[in-house]
């Protein structure tokens, strides 16, 4: 072969590779995730079927919640040990990413009924106790073999049962930055995600005239000190947060995920494009980094199998496929379904299992396994 022919052959091969590689990259799917608190933490005897399911569905991320009362300086040692054991087993079953999000077990006193103003967030949740709590949690979970650890410092901070409305955004900003510093000191390789936001506010009612939650978009502006047009106000150093990515809960229960909501502050699956666009606006203020907002993780998604928000299983399976397609198009990093099985307790309000409580398959489970 002459030099010219060799050069031509190499150029042709390189061109072919250039065509193939970007096509694959453009269609790269999110990491498929799964969470089932009952099967992994509350009832460890159910963990083995959960682990089997991870392999069957090729799940790459497993999410866990830990419980915190807002005052205790140490996590429940028994609970954390179960989380660590389950996480290690999940890695052995094929998952590589482990996400942990503390859940503040607020009571009705966090958001009491009636017209009176509720308590301040600082009166219910101690930032000094949280400093110790999150440091102890990171220490206990560090070094799970083969695991990439992610933390989302507070689960759904824009729900008033987790952080009271008065001062909630400011306290969340403080807690998040505390978590970032403490976790990075203990485990520099761990990633810390901003948000874990529920998507929309709950409707005002006679019982709750002051509301029950804040829209995701509005809450982000409150945390970062931004006006409704996403322009900064106040002193930037007072509002800046540190993060490796952004975590969103984009469930919308009965809604078709292809139909956008009119309120672009509702960060549902259908409005994911709005969320990405507005997060980029936030990044222009330098109060959150552009690298953080470019890494969006969807860490709770589901369709309910019982209650007023239930939809037919066949419809849920169809919607799930559409939601996955949107996640791929928006190039998010993960897509986590909440609950493998319906909870054993019939009194549990949240039921969104891909399987029945006895482990029988639903069409949503078939659809989930087929997501690629």
């Amino acid at each position: 072969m002459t030099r010219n022919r060799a050069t031509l052959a190499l150029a042709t091969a390189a061109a072919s590779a250039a065509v193939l590689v970007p096509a694959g990259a453009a269609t790269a799917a999110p990491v498929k995730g799964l969470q089932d608190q009952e099967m992994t933490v509350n009832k460890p005897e159910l963990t083995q079927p959960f682990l089997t399911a991870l392999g069957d569905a090729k799940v790459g991320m497993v999410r866990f919640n830990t419980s915190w009362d807002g005052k205790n300086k140490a996590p429940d040692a028994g609970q954390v040990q179960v989380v660590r054991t389950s996480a290690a087993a999940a890695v052995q079953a094929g998952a590589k990413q482990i996400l942990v999000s503390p859940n503040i077990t607020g009571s009705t006193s966090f958001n009491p009924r009636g017209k009176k103003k509720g308590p301040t967030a600082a009166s219910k949740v101690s930032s000094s106790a949280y400093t110790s709590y999150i440091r102890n949690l990171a220490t206990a979970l560090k070094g799970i073999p083969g695991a990439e650890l992610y933390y989302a410092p507070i689960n759904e901070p824009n729900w008033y049962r987790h952080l009271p409305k008065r001062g909630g955004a400011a306290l969340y900003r403080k807690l998040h930055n505390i978590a970032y510093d403490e976790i990075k000191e203990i485990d520099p390789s761990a990633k810390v995600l901003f948000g874990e936001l529920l998507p929309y506010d709950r409707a005002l009612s006679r019982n709750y005239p002051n509301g029950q939650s804040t829209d995701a978009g509005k809450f982000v502006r409150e945390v970062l000190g931004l006006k409704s047009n996403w322009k900064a106000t106040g002193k930037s150093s007072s509002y800046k947060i540190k993060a490796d990515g952004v975590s969103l809960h984009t469930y919308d229960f009965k809604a078709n995920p292809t139909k956008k909501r009119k309120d672009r502050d509702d960060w549902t699956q259908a409005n994911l494009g709005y969320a990405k666009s507005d997060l980029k606006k936030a990044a222009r203020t330098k109060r959150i980094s552009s690298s953080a907002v470019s890494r969006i993780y969807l860490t709770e998604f589901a369709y309910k199998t019982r209650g007023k928000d239930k939809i037919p299983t066949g419809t849920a399976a169809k919607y799930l496929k559409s939601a996955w397609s949107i996640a791929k198009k928006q190039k998010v990093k993960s897509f986590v379904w909440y609950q493998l099985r319906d909870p054993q307790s019939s009194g549990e309000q949240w039921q969104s299992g891909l399987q029945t409580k006895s482990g029988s398959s639903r069409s949503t489970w078939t659809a989930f396994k087929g997501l690629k």
Side-chain angles (χ1 to χ4, degrees):
M1 181 180 292
T2 66
R3 181 175 177 178
N4 286 343
R5 288 180 178 176
T7 301
L8 180 61
L10 289 171
T12 301
S16 298
V19 171
L20 292 174
V21 172
T27 56
V31 173
K32 197 187 304 185
L34 193 59
Q35 175 175 8
D36 196 306
Q37 197 74 4
E38 181 179 79
M39 295 183 74
T40 57
V41 178
N42 301 338
K43 294 182 181 294
E45 65 272 18
L46 297 176
T47 299
Q48 189 53 54
F50 179 83
L51 297 175
T52 300
L54 296 187
D56 290 345
K58 296 180 172 55
V59 167
M61 173 181 275
V62 177
R63 179 175 180 259
F64 297 92
N65 292 119
T66 59
S67 297
W68 184 52
D69 64 2
K71 300 292 184 181
N72 204 314
K73 293 184 177 181
D76 181 283
Q79 183 185 67
V80 174
Q81 183 56 54
V82 173
V83 169
R84 184 181 176 93
T85 300
S86 295
V91 172
Q92 290 296 313
K96 295 300 180 185
Q97 299 177 351
I98 301 298
L99 171 63
V100 179
S101 181
N103 192 71
I104 300 178
T105 53
S107 65
T108 54
S109 67
F110 276 42
N111 188 37
R113 294 184 176 194
K115 296 181 179 180
K116 291 183 179 179
K117 291 182 179 180
T120 63
S123 70
K124 291 293 185 178
V125 177
S126 167
S127 58
S128 61
Y130 182 76
T131 303
S132 298
Y133 177 92
I134 201 69
R135 183 192 306 127
N136 288 329
L137 182 63
T139 300
L141 295 178
K142 180 183 177 182
I144 298 173
E148 300 171 18
L149 274 178
Y150 291 76
Y151 290 89
I154 297 294
N155 178 45
E156 296 191 337
N158 53 328
W159 186 26
Y160 307 151
R161 287 284 186 94
H162 290 169
L163 284 178
K165 180 178 182 179
R166 294 172 61 201
L171 182 59
Y172 171 70
R173 180 175 61 248
K174 183 176 184 179
L175 297 179
H176 175 88
N177 284 332
I178 287 171
Y180 188 93
D181 291 339
E182 294 295 330
I183 290 168
K184 292 292 186 178
E185 183 176 345
I186 297 297
D187 189 357
S189 66
K191 301 293 190 294
V192 181
L193 305 180
F194 169 78
E196 281 281 272
L197 304 171
L198 60 79
Y200 44 77
D201 61 337
R202 287 164 169 79
L204 299 178
S205 65
R206 185 165 65 179
N207 286 332
Y208 292 100
N210 297 312
Q212 297 186 68
S213 60
T214 302
D215 288 335
K218 183 179 179 181
F219 187 77
V220 169
R221 291 196 298 273
E222 291 177 355
V223 172
L224 299 178
L226 307 179
K227 295 181 287 187
S228 59
N229 62 359
W230 295 87
K231 300 295 184 181
T233 184
K235 190 176 179 181
S236 287
S237 60
S238 300
Y239 291 98
K240 192 171 184 178
I241 65 99
K242 296 169 278 190
D244 299 308
V246 176
S247 167
L248 302 177
H249 298 172
T250 54
Y251 50 79
D252 199 6
F253 303 134
K254 291 184 177 181
N256 186 326
T258 64
K259 293 185 179 180
K260 291 183 174 62
R261 283 178 169 237
K262 292 181 180 179
D263 187 346
R264 64 181 292 141
D265 280 341
D266 292 348
W267 287 0
T268 60
Q269 194 73 5
N271 283 11
L272 195 51
Y274 291 155
K276 287 186 67 177
S277 176
D278 288 342
L279 283 167
K280 288 178 181 178
K281 294 175 187 175
R284 294 188 193 114
T285 69
K286 308 298 183 183
R287 296 183 179 187
I288 185 171
S289 70
S290 57
S291 61
V293 303
S294 71
R295 302 185 184 99
I296 294 178
Y297 298 79
L298 307 186
T299 55
E300 261 193 38
F301 190 86
Y303 292 107
K304 289 191 175 182
T305 59
R306 179 174 292 189
K308 65 178 182 178
D309 292 321
K310 176 184 176 181
I311 59 175
T313 304
T315 302
K318 178 183 176 181
Y319 284 0
L320 171 56
K321 293 175 183 178
S322 295
W324 177 259
S325 295
I326 292 168
K328 287 179 69 175
K329 179 180 178 180
Q330 296 296 342
K331 298 180 181 179
V332 301
K333 298 296 183 181
S334 69
F335 181 91
V336 179
W337 182 278
Y338 189 83
Q339 287 184 343
L340 171 62
R341 293 183 180 180
D342 286 340
Q344 298 285 312
S345 172
S346 59
E348 175 60 48
Q349 292 185 353
W350 187 298
Q351 305 220 12
S352 58
L354 297 165
Q355 301 173 359
T356 67
K357 64 181 179 181
S358 63
S360 297
S361 180
R362 290 189 169 114
S363 57
T364 44
W365 173 236
T366 303
F368 184 80
K369 288 192 294 181
L371 298 178
K372 295 179 181 177

